[in-house]
Amino acid sequence: MIREAIKSIQQTLPEGVRLIAVSKFHSETDILEAYKAGQRLFGENHVQELTQKHESLPADIEWHFIGHLQTNKVKYIAPFVSLIHSIDSLKLLKVVDKEAAKVNRIIPCLLQMHIAQEETKFGFSREECLEMLSSGALSELKHVQICGLMGMATNTDNTAQVRKEFHSLHTFFEELKQTYFHEDAAFKELSMGMSEDYPIAIEEGSTLIRIGTMIFGQRDYSKKTL
Ligand SMILES: *Cc1c(COP(=O)(O)O)cnc(C)c1O
């Protein structure tokens, strides 16, 4: 099942779009099944669960952190995380920079933008993001690399709404690419699209899709840790 799901998603991906298998709440056995199908990029949203899985699973897995990250937990993932999708404040970015320096790394990061109508989702507004970029604060951070943007659309059946949100994120990405990240080849990732909406996200320019349920089935939130 997991193997077939991975294969069928991989087959539909245009060039330049990578699949992140979101394995939160799923067992190491399931992750290994995906791994055996060739999957190497996995996404998690809890620090403790991620560090446990990182310790026991194959070393060539690229672990992506996709959830809200508390500043006091950054140190646990700084030594190995491949990409943090969910930078939602300058304060967090500064802590990632500090912890990356301690382990002598430059950690790739995405700025999470609030594009959905729901209040519950994290992320910068455009204004906040532009304010941070124009303040010049980022140029002092030598141990983080901003590689692009991430966003989550509203959880709705209204596909026009979802498309509009992804489209506006892509437009904002292009604006930043031409201004603050001009001549910065690393600024190239647009992380958007989940099980329910990834085909739309790809049409709207996503380069990283984050898929859990469609690969691993429903999550069992009653299981505390794995
Ligand atoms: C859980 C999660 C996903 C995967 O969601 P599915 O609907 O299971 O594909 C993607 N992105 C983020 C940020 C998540 O927390």
Side-chain angles (χ1 to χ4, degrees):
M1 276 276 288
I2 292 173
R3 162 177 286 274
E4 282 72 44
I6 298 261
K7 294 279 176 208
S8 75
I9 297 166
Q10 288 284 13
Q11 274 165 14
T12 64
L13 295 188
E15 219 186 293
V17 183
R18 292 185 294 157
L19 168 65
I20 298 159
V22 176
S23 48
K24 63 192 192 197
F25 291 92
H26 293 291
S27 68
E28 294 179 358
T29 311
D30 285 357
I31 295 176
L32 277 174
E33 196 177 331
Y35 180 87
K36 285 181 197 138
Q39 183 65 29
R40 291 294 180 273
L41 275 54
F42 290 87
E44 291 280 339
N45 70 345
H46 285 108
V47 166
Q48 199 190 354
E49 187 176 342
L50 171 55
T51 50
Q52 278 174 18
K53 286 174 173 173
H54 168 255
E55 274 170 31
S56 46
L57 289 163
D60 64 341
I61 289 180
E62 272 189 36
W63 292 105
H64 290 221
F65 194 82
I66 62 170
H68 181 60
L69 182 55
Q70 289 171 276
T71 50
N72 61 343
K73 298 201 171 152
V74 173
K75 59 178 177 284
Y76 301 112
I77 62 170
F80 67 88
V81 69
S82 289
L83 179 63
I84 299 175
H85 290 231
S86 42
I87 299 295
D88 55 10
S89 70
L90 177 58
K91 181 175 166 228
L92 175 60
L93 194 60
K94 284 181 173 169
V95 173
V96 173
D97 182 74
K98 194 180 88 191
E99 295 299 334
K102 285 188 197 164
V103 291
N104 207 7
R105 291 190 66 204
I106 295 174
I107 298 182
C109 293
L110 305 179
L111 303 177
Q112 181 172 356
M113 300 299 301
H114 186 116
I115 57 169
Q117 282 176 334
E118 292 123 305
E119 290 288 329
T120 49
K121 291 182 175 154
F122 290 99
F124 290 100
S125 67
R126 280 162 173 270
E127 292 71 29
E128 288 164 346
C129 185
L130 291 171
E131 193 186 300
M132 177 175 76
L133 294 172
S134 61
S135 74
L138 262 55
S139 63
E140 286 160 32
L141 308 179
K142 306 292 184 203
H143 293 270
V144 289
Q145 172 103 59
I146 307 296
C147 297
L149 304 179
M150 182 272 228
M152 289 168 87
T154 306
N155 186 6
T156 171
D157 293 335
N158 182 348
T159 54
Q161 171 75 27
V162 169
R163 185 179 295 281
K164 199 175 83 186
E165 290 170 2
F166 286 150
H167 190 81
S168 72
L169 183 60
H170 190 189
T171 307
F172 188 58
F173 170 84
E174 290 297 337
E175 274 171 40
L176 296 186
K177 181 130 192 82
Q178 282 159 29
T179 53
Y180 295 102
F181 297 96
H182 187 60
E183 291 178 356
D184 182 350
F187 191 83
K188 63 181 171 59
E189 304 290 0
L190 193 50
S191 169
M192 56 186 199
M194 316 186 359
S195 294
E196 291 297 321
D197 55 20
Y198 82 90
I200 303 176
I202 291 173
E203 286 170 16
E204 295 300 336
S206 176
T207 66
L208 290 169
I209 55 169
R210 312 177 307 269
I211 301 194
T213 311
M214 229 184 120
I215 295 171
F216 298 108
Q218 294 294 331
R219 289 178 282 275
D220 181 357
Y221 292 109
S222 65
K223 280 189 282 186
K224 264 187 81 184
T225 44
L226 297 155

